[in-house]
Amino acid sequence: MSAKEDEIKTILCLGSGYVGAMTMTIFATKHPETTFYVYDVFKSVIDRWNNLIPTDEKTCPFVEKDLFQEVVKVHKKNLFFISEITDEIWSKSELVFICVNTPSMTEYKYAPTDTIEHIEELIKKGIELSMDNVYNSVKDLTLREIKILKAGKTGDAAAQELAKMMKPKIFIQKSTVDVGTLSKLYQIVHDAFKENETEDFKFTDAEVDEK
């Protein structure tokens, strides 16, 4: 196989915030042969990116040194901001970056009379993060993949073609997460495939890992 045939053609990013948008922008400038899709559940955020005016830096959602110049190079060329992940985009995607928000559920309340010792005790308790966005994103997309693959076995020619397009996925976690998150994500994907098995739709553990 030639190097060109082995290149990753499509990358999907979940989250168009500071981490996701900046990372995909830089990647897109370095890899013009690859198509990058940046998805966000908030359509208003996606609209801001899609309404960016190449001659007006103020229309860029983020202020970061040289970011605007880099975005303009690739915006709507090989970098696309989307508010919906179509079945075709999901099937073609080979790398999936998780850059969704993981808000803190820990609320620290300080009073002017608090001692240093009291503040240190609060900090030692650590920060509890809400991981729902991460877990739900991976589960929803895994179930989408299962639906596409099942339709490819019983559906019409279009459904079969879509299933044939399905690429194995590598999830890349860039959100701020708890220790053990990757093991949890693996289990979510594994369990989804196993729970949706039928007589005509079965996978070994090795095949699930490959998916």
Side-chain angles (χ1 to χ4, degrees), residues 136-152:
N136 291 339
S137 295
V138 172
K139 184 174 183 179
D140 289 348
L141 289 170
T142 300
L143 292 175
R144 166 91 70 94
E145 179 157 331
I146 290 169
K147 182 179 178 181
I148 294 171
L149 292 174
K150 280 187 172 182

PDB file of all heavy atoms in Angstrom, residues 136-152:
ATOM      1  N   ASN A 136     -21.765  10.288  26.993  1.00  0.00           N
ATOM      2  CA  ASN A 136     -22.946  10.279  26.121  1.00  0.00           C
ATOM      3  C   ASN A 136     -22.578  10.448  24.659  1.00  0.00           C
ATOM      4  O   ASN A 136     -23.203   9.842  23.774  1.00  0.00           O
ATOM      5  CB  ASN A 136     -23.925  11.376  26.548  1.00  0.00           C
ATOM      6  CG  ASN A 136     -24.574  11.080  27.885  1.00  0.00           C
ATOM      7  OD1 ASN A 136     -24.615   9.942  28.328  1.00  0.00           O
ATOM      8  ND2 ASN A 136     -25.084  12.119  28.543  1.00  0.00           N
ATOM      9  N   SER A 137     -21.571  11.271  24.368  1.00  0.00           N
ATOM     10  CA  SER A 137     -21.131  11.466  22.981  1.00  0.00           C
ATOM     11  C   SER A 137     -20.657  10.157  22.376  1.00  0.00           C
ATOM     12  O   SER A 137     -21.040   9.789  21.258  1.00  0.00           O
ATOM     13  CB  SER A 137     -19.998  12.506  22.921  1.00  0.00           C
ATOM     14  OG  SER A 137     -20.447  13.772  23.325  1.00  0.00           O
ATOM     15  N   VAL A 138     -19.813   9.446  23.111  1.00  0.00           N
ATOM     16  CA  VAL A 138     -19.265   8.189  22.604  1.00  0.00           C
ATOM     17  C   VAL A 138     -20.359   7.135  22.467  1.00  0.00           C
ATOM     18  O   VAL A 138     -20.427   6.419  21.463  1.00  0.00           O
ATOM     19  CB  VAL A 138     -18.140   7.688  23.527  1.00  0.00           C
ATOM     20  CG1 VAL A 138     -17.697   6.279  23.131  1.00  0.00           C
ATOM     21  CG2 VAL A 138     -16.950   8.643  23.469  1.00  0.00           C
ATOM     22  N   LYS A 139     -21.241   7.050  23.443  1.00  0.00           N
ATOM     23  CA  LYS A 139     -22.309   6.050  23.373  1.00  0.00           C
ATOM     24  C   LYS A 139     -23.254   6.331  22.212  1.00  0.00           C
ATOM     25  O   LYS A 139     -23.616   5.413  21.454  1.00  0.00           O
ATOM     26  CB  LYS A 139     -23.104   6.016  24.689  1.00  0.00           C
ATOM     27  CG  LYS A 139     -24.176   4.927  24.699  1.00  0.00           C
ATOM     28  CD  LYS A 139     -24.850   4.808  26.057  1.00  0.00           C
ATOM     29  CE  LYS A 139     -25.855   3.667  26.062  1.00  0.00           C
ATOM     30  NZ  LYS A 139     -26.505   3.503  27.382  1.00  0.00           N
ATOM     31  N   ASP A 140     -23.671   7.578  22.051  1.00  0.00           N
ATOM     32  CA  ASP A 140     -24.605   7.932  20.978  1.00  0.00           C
ATOM     33  C   ASP A 140     -24.017   7.616  19.607  1.00  0.00           C
ATOM     34  O   ASP A 140     -24.714   7.089  18.723  1.00  0.00           O
ATOM     35  CB  ASP A 140     -24.966   9.419  21.051  1.00  0.00           C
ATOM     36  CG  ASP A 140     -25.850   9.737  22.254  1.00  0.00           C
ATOM     37  OD1 ASP A 140     -26.367   8.797  22.880  1.00  0.00           O
ATOM     38  OD2 ASP A 140     -25.995  10.939  22.573  1.00  0.00           O
ATOM     39  N   LEU A 141     -22.728   7.926  19.420  1.00  0.00           N
ATOM     40  CA  LEU A 141     -22.106   7.697  18.115  1.00  0.00           C
ATOM     41  C   LEU A 141     -21.852   6.208  17.877  1.00  0.00           C
ATOM     42  O   LEU A 141     -21.920   5.747  16.743  1.00  0.00           O
ATOM     43  CB  LEU A 141     -20.810   8.498  18.002  1.00  0.00           C
ATOM     44  CG  LEU A 141     -21.028  10.007  17.876  1.00  0.00           C
ATOM     45  CD1 LEU A 141     -19.719  10.755  18.011  1.00  0.00           C
ATOM     46  CD2 LEU A 141     -21.694  10.355  16.546  1.00  0.00           C
ATOM     47  N   THR A 142     -21.583   5.471  18.934  1.00  0.00           N
ATOM     48  CA  THR A 142     -21.419   4.025  18.787  1.00  0.00           C
ATOM     49  C   THR A 142     -22.741   3.391  18.366  1.00  0.00           C
ATOM     50  O   THR A 142     -22.779   2.524  17.477  1.00  0.00           O
ATOM     51  CB  THR A 142     -20.930   3.397  20.102  1.00  0.00           C
ATOM     52  OG1 THR A 142     -19.666   3.971  20.462  1.00  0.00           O
ATOM     53  CG2 THR A 142     -20.760   1.886  19.953  1.00  0.00           C
ATOM     54  N   LEU A 143     -23.837   3.820  18.983  1.00  0.00           N
ATOM     55  CA  LEU A 143     -25.150   3.300  18.602  1.00  0.00           C
ATOM     56  C   LEU A 143     -25.499   3.693  17.167  1.00  0.00           C
ATOM     57  O   LEU A 143     -26.138   2.923  16.441  1.00  0.00           O
ATOM     58  CB  LEU A 143     -26.218   3.815  19.572  1.00  0.00           C
ATOM     59  CG  LEU A 143     -26.116   3.273  21.007  1.00  0.00           C
ATOM     60  CD1 LEU A 143     -27.144   3.948  21.908  1.00  0.00           C
ATOM     61  CD2 LEU A 143     -26.299   1.754  21.033  1.00  0.00           C
ATOM     62  N   ARG A 144     -25.068   4.883  16.767  1.00  0.00           N
ATOM     63  CA  ARG A 144     -25.270   5.295  15.364  1.00  0.00           C
ATOM     64  C   ARG A 144     -24.528   4.336  14.426  1.00  0.00           C
ATOM     65  O   ARG A 144     -25.063   3.932  13.393  1.00  0.00           O
ATOM     66  CB  ARG A 144     -24.732   6.719  15.191  1.00  0.00           C
ATOM     67  CG  ARG A 144     -24.556   7.177  13.735  1.00  0.00           C
ATOM     68  CD  ARG A 144     -25.789   7.843  13.218  1.00  0.00           C
ATOM     69  NE  ARG A 144     -25.975   9.114  13.864  1.00  0.00           N
ATOM     70  CZ  ARG A 144     -25.532  10.288  13.376  1.00  0.00           C
ATOM     71  NH1 ARG A 144     -24.872  10.322  12.227  1.00  0.00           N
ATOM     72  NH2 ARG A 144     -25.771  11.407  14.016  1.00  0.00           N
ATOM     73  N   GLU A 145     -23.299   3.989  14.783  1.00  0.00           N
ATOM     74  CA  GLU A 145     -22.515   3.082  13.945  1.00  0.00           C
ATOM     75  C   GLU A 145     -23.176   1.711  13.848  1.00  0.00           C
ATOM     76  O   GLU A 145     -23.249   1.113  12.767  1.00  0.00           O
ATOM     77  CB  GLU A 145     -21.103   2.938  14.506  1.00  0.00           C
ATOM     78  CG  GLU A 145     -20.231   1.992  13.700  1.00  0.00           C
ATOM     79  CD  GLU A 145     -18.756   2.260  13.895  1.00  0.00           C
ATOM     80  OE1 GLU A 145     -18.372   3.410  14.163  1.00  0.00           O
ATOM     81  OE2 GLU A 145     -17.980   1.296  13.752  1.00  0.00           O
ATOM     82  N   ILE A 146     -23.658   1.216  14.968  1.00  0.00           N
ATOM     83  CA  ILE A 146     -24.326  -0.085  14.979  1.00  0.00           C
ATOM     84  C   ILE A 146     -25.556  -0.061  14.059  1.00  0.00           C
ATOM     85  O   ILE A 146     -25.793  -1.005  13.288  1.00  0.00           O
ATOM     86  CB  ILE A 146     -24.731  -0.459  16.414  1.00  0.00           C
ATOM     87  CG1 ILE A 146     -23.474  -0.767  17.238  1.00  0.00           C
ATOM     88  CG2 ILE A 146     -25.690  -1.643  16.426  1.00  0.00           C
ATOM     89  CD1 ILE A 146     -23.725  -0.893  18.723  1.00  0.00           C
ATOM     90  N   LYS A 147     -26.312   1.017  14.122  1.00  0.00           N
ATOM     91  CA  LYS A 147     -27.493   1.154  13.277  1.00  0.00           C
ATOM     92  C   LYS A 147     -27.115   1.120  11.795  1.00  0.00           C
ATOM     93  O   LYS A 147     -27.782   0.465  10.981  1.00  0.00           O
ATOM     94  CB  LYS A 147     -28.212   2.465  13.607  1.00  0.00           C
ATOM     95  CG  LYS A 147     -29.490   2.692  12.818  1.00  0.00           C
ATOM     96  CD  LYS A 147     -30.146   4.003  13.219  1.00  0.00           C
ATOM     97  CE  LYS A 147     -31.403   4.268  12.396  1.00  0.00           C
ATOM     98  NZ  LYS A 147     -32.045   5.565  12.762  1.00  0.00           N
ATOM     99  N   ILE A 148     -26.039   1.816  11.438  1.00  0.00           N
ATOM    100  CA  ILE A 148     -25.593   1.855  10.042  1.00  0.00           C
ATOM    101  C   ILE A 148     -25.137   0.469   9.584  1.00  0.00           C
ATOM    102  O   ILE A 148     -25.470   0.007   8.485  1.00  0.00           O
ATOM    103  CB  ILE A 148     -24.455   2.876   9.868  1.00  0.00           C
ATOM    104  CG1 ILE A 148     -24.962   4.305  10.121  1.00  0.00           C
ATOM    105  CG2 ILE A 148     -23.839   2.782   8.468  1.00  0.00           C
ATOM    106  CD1 ILE A 148     -23.870   5.350  10.193  1.00  0.00           C
ATOM    107  N   LEU A 149     -24.375  -0.209  10.439  1.00  0.00           N
ATOM    108  CA  LEU A 149     -23.862  -1.530  10.085  1.00  0.00           C
ATOM    109  C   LEU A 149     -24.997  -2.550   9.956  1.00  0.00           C
ATOM    110  O   LEU A 149     -24.986  -3.401   9.057  1.00  0.00           O
ATOM    111  CB  LEU A 149     -22.852  -1.994  11.133  1.00  0.00           C
ATOM    112  CG  LEU A 149     -21.531  -1.207  11.169  1.00  0.00           C
ATOM    113  CD1 LEU A 149     -20.677  -1.671  12.337  1.00  0.00           C
ATOM    114  CD2 LEU A 149     -20.766  -1.353   9.859  1.00  0.00           C
ATOM    115  N   LYS A 150     -25.980  -2.455  10.841  1.00  0.00           N
ATOM    116  CA  LYS A 150     -27.129  -3.364  10.752  1.00  0.00           C
ATOM    117  C   LYS A 150     -27.917  -3.118   9.468  1.00  0.00           C
ATOM    118  O   LYS A 150     -28.336  -4.058   8.789  1.00  0.00           O
ATOM    119  CB  LYS A 150     -28.034  -3.181  11.970  1.00  0.00           C
ATOM    120  CG  LYS A 150     -27.563  -3.898  13.217  1.00  0.00           C
ATOM    121  CD  LYS A 150     -28.612  -3.809  14.319  1.00  0.00           C
ATOM    122  CE  LYS A 150     -28.239  -4.675  15.511  1.00  0.00           C
ATOM    123  NZ  LYS A 150     -29.261  -4.635  16.576  1.00  0.00           N
ATOM    124  N   ALA A 151     -28.122  -1.851   9.138  1.00  0.00           N
ATOM    125  CA  ALA A 151     -28.865  -1.511   7.922  1.00  0.00           C
ATOM    126  C   ALA A 151     -28.120  -2.006   6.688  1.00  0.00           C
ATOM    127  O   ALA A 151     -28.737  -2.358   5.679  1.00  0.00           O
ATOM    128  CB  ALA A 151     -29.074   0.005   7.843  1.00  0.00           C
ATOM    129  N   GLY A 152     -26.796  -2.035   6.785  1.00  0.00           N
ATOM    130  CA  GLY A 152     -26.001  -2.513   5.657  1.00  0.00           C
ATOM    131  C   GLY A 152     -26.210  -3.985   5.363  1.00  0.00           C
ATOM    132  O   GLY A 152     -25.978  -4.449   4.242  1.00  0.00           O
TER     133      GLY A 152
END
